[in-house]
Amino acid sequence: LNENHFLSCLVEFSKTSPAAVQVNVRDALNQAMDEELERDEKVFLLGEEVAQYDGAYKVSRGLWKKYGDKRIIDTPITEMGFAGIAVGAAFAGLRPICEFMTWNFSMQAIDQVINSAAKTYYMSAGAQPVPIVFRGPNGSSAGVAAQHSQCFAAWYGHCPGLKVVSPWNSEDARGLLKAAIRDNNPVVFLENELMYGVPFDLSEEVMHKDFVLPIGKAKVERQGTHITLVSHSRCVGFCLDAAAVLAKEGVECEVVNLRTIRPLDVETIEASVMKTGHLVTVEGGWPQYGVGAEICARIMEGPAFNYLDAPAVRVTGVDIPMPYAKILEDHSVPQIKDIIFTVKKVLNM
Amino acid sequence: RVLELTGCAASMVASSRSYADFTPEATFDIKKVDLHRLEEGPPLTATLTREEGLKYYRTMQTIRRMELKADQLYKQKIIRGFCHLYDGQEACAVGIEGGITLSDHLITAYRAHGYTLTRGGTVREIMAELTGRRGGIAKGKGGSMHMYTKNFYGGNGIVGAQVPLGAGVALACKYLGNDQLCVSLYGDGAANQGQIFETYNMSSLWKLPIIFICENNQYGMGTSVERSSASTEYYKRGDYIPGLRVDGMDVLCVREATKFAADHCRSGKGPILMELQTYRYHGHSMSDPGVSYRTREEIQEVRSKSDPISMLKDRMLSNNMASIEELKEIDIAVRKEIEDAAQFATTDPEPPLDDLCSHIFANDQPFEVRAATPWTKLTSTS
């Protein structure tokens, strides 16, 4: 099956009721890596504790037992070094998956991600592609405090030469990780630790070993007419929860799951805004210079602006380092009530 | 071959001596190498054939003249930005290539023009890259520090980043089981970078086929080794990694040490580290006159006593491996090659504006790129 044919079949199949299996996000990622390791010998995984520990968050469970030392490599705690090694391996034709235990630790290695991976194809005028995936959990978790809770979507989303992907559910995780591994370019894959254990129904089609999702395409998770909610990662779930509550009051929200941060699927957002006339972005990251800021700027500059009946507004993480105490942490991230409150404000309810 | 190059009638007289008149091969004593964690080192003699000698001479001379031409073009503002010249260090690039093959891999930092040449680039495409033209080796997109050829991964602007990259290439060699190795170069300034020690660790743990080479030219920008490094014995800095300290001004020393290091890697023993003691005549870059932190006398002394090209020339002449006229003809041919390349580099057009956004992603459909204003539509192709 080639991927285009497959995706066109998928559209048809989704109209029937296919056999569903419950898979949580962790297992979806695990299966995706397993299948891609089996499919292409050049794919390998490296990072801290990915092998004998089965992964710090168990995402790579069972892979070392199956594939061994050559393809699942435990690294010392030296991000800058092993990220550089991963990029060099990609230069020489392998297809590394480089795991950062969390994206916070990627700051130690960010030069390799940006200057060695993202920019090389351009600097070499196409002579040197870099087929690498950097992956790991991003954004806030639970009680891990300031140094372990930052969202990097905006930082990496800023840089040309990178593709930046942020899955929400198991279908996203599976399809986007397979696509990322098969992509011949550097992909920053932002997972979410709190989503790892969440199960979702996956259809037979999604479970097919060649199921991939297109990078750069958002998905409308819920159709609506009154207002557009655009989000990524865990916040998509909060938007759907808020939409369910609002529906009882007669407000129908359209929920757009970005799936990809870069390239941003502005067309899908515009089409939705042109339908609803109202826009709220929802993200876990900090507000200043963030994902929501970019979306609002693009809407201002494009055809959808003329359809807005109210200014576009962002719901974001609070602009502070993440505190530890539960009550403080709970108030540092967007909650469902914040989304509902904002929708009502924008709709002047 | 010399006749083909020059087509000069006068040279027919000078070169009427047949090859039978020259010594085909000679063996030279070379400086003993300082060893770290090694029982034995490279041999104390090196055999040079006439053919090899002429090849090394020509290549070193080409690098020398190419760099001097770049100096000229920079002063005329035809080359802009960063330009880090390699004159004085030619024996390193040429000697290393003499000890490996083009199927092996190499990566270096920003003082990379010499390596771009020894790794298969042409003077023409190197110079046109420096002048930012479409005929440049990176189509004008990269510039001085970002030149690539097959199995040559640049040209890297961030000090030290190239070292773990090189280890990654070496990992690929081991992974693919192709008996190839990677030479990963860095300077005395970079030698203190943390990521290099991270790379020493992983390369040793995983027995990667990597030759670490520290080109110690005594100065990291304007900071002498004594002022930057608590230990200036760079060949020992790999600690558990065996090391060699080599005279980097002698192309034969460099070659023999590289052969020795390559054997070490290919036998599966893991990494090895070579320190090449060398010298750059120019300052750090074209914006550095190079005399505020060192004396002109020092530069002159190296030039008169240790110049790599002179050393090879003297060896060949005093052993009757070539004639003065023959070497002069090579000089003339090299000058012509450089002139032609400079001519090309100054007349070739700049890249087309259509190329502005190309080469962001490999193997992708064309996509729109945000320009300086929202109304301009730019396209990126692979």
Side-chain angles (χ1 to χ4, degrees):
Chain A
L1 286 175
N2 75 46
E3 285 163 16
N4 287 332
H5 172 73
F6 182 85
L7 286 174
S8 62
C9 288
L10 184 64
V11 171
E12 290 179 44
F13 283 138
S14 64
K15 293 177 187 153
T16 62
S17 56
V21 57
Q22 263 214 348
V23 181
N24 65 27
V25 172
R26 174 186 294 109
D27 291 339
L29 295 167
N30 183 281
Q31 288 160 15
M33 284 198 286
D34 190 352
E35 290 164 20
E36 296 305 301
L37 283 158
E38 186 158 323
R39 176 180 180 267
D40 184 349
E41 284 177 345
K42 298 210 175 81
V43 176
F44 72 101
L45 172 67
L46 84 168
E48 293 155 11
E49 311 305 337
V50 296
Q52 296 191 17
Y53 199 89
D54 272 333
Y57 300 98
K58 305 294 180 247
V59 178
S60 56
R61 176 172 41 213
L63 296 180
W64 174 67
K65 249 203 184 121
K66 183 170 175 184
Y67 295 100
D69 288 331
K70 177 178 167 179
R71 304 192 61 204
I72 312 294
I73 304 176
D74 276 336
T75 64
I77 309 170
T78 50
E79 276 78 4
M80 196 165 184
F82 72 69
I85 284 177
V87 176
F91 283 175
L94 297 185
R95 305 186 72 89
I97 305 169
C98 176
E99 178 177 303
F100 291 119
M101 195 183 279
T102 78
W103 274 96
N104 301 285
F105 312 151
S106 77
M107 287 196 283
Q108 305 244 303
I110 197 165
D111 176 67
Q112 296 290 2
V113 178
I114 307 299
N115 280 321
S116 302
K119 297 178 184 172
T120 292
Y121 192 69
Y122 187 86
M123 292 191 294
S124 68
Q128 181 61 73
V130 191
I132 187 168
V133 176
F134 298 99
R135 51 159 290 274
N138 176 59
S140 59
S141 180
V144 295
Q147 292 179 344
H148 289 73
S149 303
Q150 189 169 331
C151 175
F152 290 87
W155 281 30
Y156 289 109
H158 189 59
C159 301
L162 285 183
K163 299 188 183 183
V164 179
V165 168
S166 184
W168 163 54
N169 62 12
S170 298
E171 178 177 325
D172 293 354
R174 176 180 169 73
L176 292 171
L177 185 54
K178 285 162 87 63
I181 294 167
R182 296 183 191 195
D183 201 306
N184 289 323
N185 296 288
V187 181
V188 162
F189 195 88
L190 305 171
E191 300 162 8
N192 185 291
E193 201 220 316
L194 295 174
M195 292 303 297
Y196 281 154
V198 180
F200 293 90
D201 288 336
L202 295 186
S203 68
E204 209 175 282
E205 289 64 43
V206 173
M207 292 306 286
H208 190 279
K209 65 178 170 56
D210 284 320
F211 173 75
V212 289
L213 283 173
I215 292 178
K217 202 84 191 69
K219 183 184 177 203
V220 178
E221 296 286 352
R222 183 189 194 280
Q223 301 268 357
T225 46
H226 298 123
I227 187 163
T228 300
L229 302 180
V230 180
S231 187
H232 72 100
S233 188
R234 189 156 178 257
C235 288
V236 174
F238 298 158
C239 288
L240 289 169
D241 293 342
V245 173
L246 286 160
K248 297 194 187 119
E249 297 180 54
V251 176
E252 291 301 328
C253 301
E254 180 144 295
V255 177
V256 177
N257 171 7
L258 282 177
R259 286 180 162 173
T260 301
I261 303 292
R262 181 176 186 109
L264 188 67
D265 182 1
V266 74
E267 285 83 18
T268 298
I269 304 171
E270 278 172 344
S272 179
V273 171
M274 281 154 72
K275 186 169 82 168
T276 67
H278 299 84
L279 174 61
V280 171
T281 69
V282 184
E283 70 199 281
W286 293 319
Q288 203 158 330
Y289 311 115
V291 172
E294 173 66 17
I295 293 170
C296 290
R298 297 248 206 144
I299 292 298
M300 289 268 278
E301 290 176 344
F305 173 74
N306 292 311
Y307 293 75
L308 282 174
D309 291 332
V313 168
R314 303 165 293 163
V315 174
T316 69
V318 176
D319 202 10
I320 51 172
M322 181 69 72
Y324 167 66
K326 186 159 195 330
I327 188 172
L328 297 180
E329 187 181 64
D330 287 346
H331 285 83
S332 305
V333 294
Q335 302 183 35
I336 294 165
K337 65 173 173 63
D338 296 317
I339 303 172
I340 294 170
F341 177 80
T342 306
V343 166
K344 289 183 173 177
K345 275 280 204 183
V346 169
L347 290 175
N348 224 348
M349 286 167 65
Chain B
R1 196 192 303 140
V2 172
L3 288 173
E4 283 167 32
L5 290 170
T6 62
C8 169
S11 74
M12 287 192 71
V13 174
S15 301
S16 61
R17 291 167 68 184
S18 71
Y19 290 154
D21 291 342
F22 292 120
T23 314
E25 186 179 286
T27 301
F28 299 93
D29 291 332
I30 53 176
K31 249 188 223 162
K32 188 170 186 297
V33 157
D34 296 316
L35 300 175
H36 171 69
R37 288 190 189 272
L38 282 166
E39 292 300 310
E40 289 171 337
L44 295 170
T45 60
T47 302
L48 179 72
T49 67
R50 184 180 127 79
E51 198 180 279
E52 285 166 344
L54 291 172
K55 183 173 85 173
Y56 300 158
Y57 180 83
R58 183 175 177 135
T59 312
M60 288 200 286
Q61 193 69 288
T62 303
I63 296 173
R64 176 67 58 91
R65 301 243 62 97
M66 177 176 75
E67 297 294 80
L68 293 178
K69 177 57 79 175
D71 170 282
Q72 251 180 46
L73 292 175
Y74 195 92
K75 286 169 176 156
Q76 295 174 267
K77 299 196 198 299
I78 299 170
I79 296 176
R80 33 189 286 280
F82 290 131
C83 192
H84 307 88
L85 298 178
Y86 198 67
D87 49 311
Q89 299 186 213
E90 296 86 354
C92 296
V94 175
I96 289 169
E97 201 62 47
I100 58 174
T101 75
L102 284 171
S103 331
D104 292 314
H105 307 261
L106 190 142
I107 190 169
T108 187
Y110 48 75
R111 200 174 300 282
H113 309 157
Y115 289 99
T116 313
L117 190 84
T118 54
R119 289 258 103 198
T122 64
V123 181
R124 233 166 114 91
E125 56 194 357
I126 293 171
M127 301 212 71
E129 188 59 34
L130 293 176
T131 56
R133 308 302 166 103
R134 65 181 68 184
I137 198 166
K139 303 188 179 139
K141 303 289 268 291
S144 169
M145 299 184 292
H146 307 295
M147 303 193 190
Y148 303 79
T149 70
K150 184 170 190 294
N151 294 355
F152 174 57
Y153 307 89
N156 287 275
I158 306 297
V159 171
Q162 74 279 10
V163 178
L165 293 173
V169 174
L171 186 144
C173 293
K174 182 168 176 169
Y175 190 105
L176 296 168
N178 55 26
D179 206 36
Q180 293 161 10
L181 53 80
C182 185
V183 175
S184 200
L185 289 128
Y186 54 96
D188 48 280
N192 297 313
Q193 275 263 314
Q195 59 187 316
I196 293 184
F197 293 86
E198 296 186 11
T199 309
Y200 290 157
N201 182 43
M202 285 182 275
S203 305
S204 298
L205 268 181
W206 302 335
K207 290 205 162 16
L208 300 182
I210 179 169
I211 304 176
F212 294 103
I213 300 190
C214 177
E215 278 181 296
N216 177 3
N217 62 15
Q218 301 300 314
Y219 298 92
M221 215 159 152
T223 306
S224 66
V225 294
E226 295 79 28
R227 296 201 304 123
S228 75
S229 308
S231 163
T232 56
E233 295 185 302
Y234 298 103
Y235 71 114
K236 290 185 183 172
R237 298 286 287 282
D239 188 4
Y240 36 79
I241 297 180
L244 309 154
R245 182 164 57 189
V246 177
D247 178 2
M249 304 305 267
D250 179 351
V251 68
L252 294 180
C253 268
V254 177
R255 185 188 76 181
E256 293 309 308
T258 305
K259 280 187 181 164
F260 177 86
D263 283 342
H264 175 103
C265 279
R266 281 191 237 276
S267 65
K269 295 193 184 117
I272 187 165
L273 199 165
M274 273 166 56
E275 176 187 342
L276 301 179
Q277 294 188 302
T278 182
Y279 199 84
R280 53 164 162 83
Y281 296 144
H282 267 84
H284 163 69
S285 72
M286 283 306 298
S287 53
D288 171 26
V291 287
S292 64
Y293 49 86
R294 59 182 186 172
T295 63
R296 288 181 208 275
E297 289 73 38
E298 178 187 286
I299 305 169
Q300 196 38 45
E301 180 158 359
V302 177
R303 240 191 236 282
S304 55
K305 295 197 179 139
S306 315
D307 184 272
I309 301 175
S310 302
M311 194 190 304
L312 177 65
K313 181 175 174 179
D314 291 345
R315 273 185 172 141
M316 292 189 72
L317 291 176
S318 57
N319 283 271
N320 195 31
M321 296 180 83
S323 68
I324 292 187
E325 293 79 14
E326 186 175 23
L327 296 180
K328 274 213 177 87
E329 275 152 23
I330 294 179
D331 292 348
I332 291 169
V334 167
R335 255 180 235 266
K336 180 167 196 311
E337 184 181 357
I338 305 302
E339 276 310 317
D340 286 350
Q343 178 64 12
F344 174 69
T346 49
T347 55
D348 198 42
E350 287 188 285
L353 282 180
D354 286 342
D355 234 18
L356 179 68
C357 300
S358 59
H359 310 122
I360 299 284
F361 292 131
N363 309 120
D364 261 16
Q365 295 300 309
F367 63 95
E368 202 180 290
V369 170
R370 168 75 188 214
T373 75
W375 298 279
T376 310
K377 299 292 175 211
L378 294 176
T379 310
S380 178
T381 53
S382 286

